[in-house]
């Protein structure tokens, strides 16, 4: 989706995203993160717990920040950083879109993005729990 963001184009792109065939979490990125376990046992599990605890709070804040573009952009940036730790590329991309869209004040499109991020968070959480169960 290019700027200026048009709601119809954004919705079409978001509808395509869940069926893109891209895994919610990149296995290589997660494997690289797991290498930290040698020096800090339990660190990956702690990071997963922190991500699963903090992200819903941040998303809740996002729902109340549509009239505060800087705050909404900062929330998206924070979530994006957490996503990059796990290689959650689809969710990271949605956060990047929101981060760039927020300052333009496109609240309908921003709402669509927050909803899409919430849906992708469920996928990422499930993938991380599957990983934790296997290790």
């Amino acid at each position: 989706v290019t700027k200026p963001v048009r709601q119809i184009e954004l919705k079409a792109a978001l509808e395509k995203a869940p069926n893109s065939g891209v895994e919610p979490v990149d296995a290589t990125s997660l494997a690289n993160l797991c290498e930290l376990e040698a020096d800090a046992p339990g660190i990956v599990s702690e990071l997963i717990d922190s991500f699963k605890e903090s992200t819903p709070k941040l998303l809740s804040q996002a729902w109340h920040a549509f009239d505060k573009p800087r705050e909404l952009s900062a929330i998206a940036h924070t979530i994006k950083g957490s996503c990059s730790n796990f290689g959650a590329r689809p969710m990271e991309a949605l956060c990047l879109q929101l981060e760039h869209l927020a300052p333009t004040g496109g609240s309908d499109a921003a709402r669509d993005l927050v909803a899409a991020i919430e849906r992708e968070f469920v996928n990422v959480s499930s993938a991380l729990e599957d990983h934790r169960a296997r290790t």
Side-chain angles (χ1 to χ4, degrees):
V1 178
T2 60
K3 290 183 180 179
V5 177
R6 291 178 183 82
Q7 188 172 4
I8 292 173
E9 291 173 6
L10 178 60
K11 280 187 178 185
L14 292 175
E15 286 172 4
K16 290 178 186 176
N19 299 321
S20 66
V22 176
E23 293 295 320
V25 177
D26 176 63
T28 302
S29 296
L30 196 52
N32 290 339
L33 183 62
C34 288
E35 290 178 8
L36 298 174
E37 289 283 333
D39 294 327
I43 189 71
V44 175
S45 188
E46 287 179 33
L47 289 170
I48 291 170
D49 289 341
S50 177
F51 176 73
K52 289 180 65 180
E53 182 180 320
S54 65
T55 303
K57 292 175 185 175
L58 289 165
L59 288 167
S60 177
Q61 291 172 9
W63 282 112
H64 296 95
F66 293 115
D67 60 341
K68 303 171 194 148
R70 283 186 176 174
E71 183 178 332
L72 184 58
S73 184
I75 291 167
H77 180 80
T78 300
I79 297 171
K80 180 184 74 173
S82 296
C83 292
S84 70
N85 290 333
F86 298 108
R89 302 292 177 242
M91 188 172 167
E92 183 179 5
L94 291 167
C95 290
L96 179 63
Q97 289 178 27
L98 180 59
E99 183 180 4
H100 289 286
L101 175 70
T104 67
S107 62
D108 287 341
R111 282 181 173 77
D112 291 341
L113 281 167
V114 172
I117 292 166
E118 283 185 327
R119 288 190 301 272
E120 191 59 27
F121 173 69
V122 172
N123 297 333
V124 171
S125 294
S126 178
L128 292 174
E129 286 304 324
D130 288 348
H131 168 77
R132 189 179 351 215
R134 289 190 308 269
T135 57

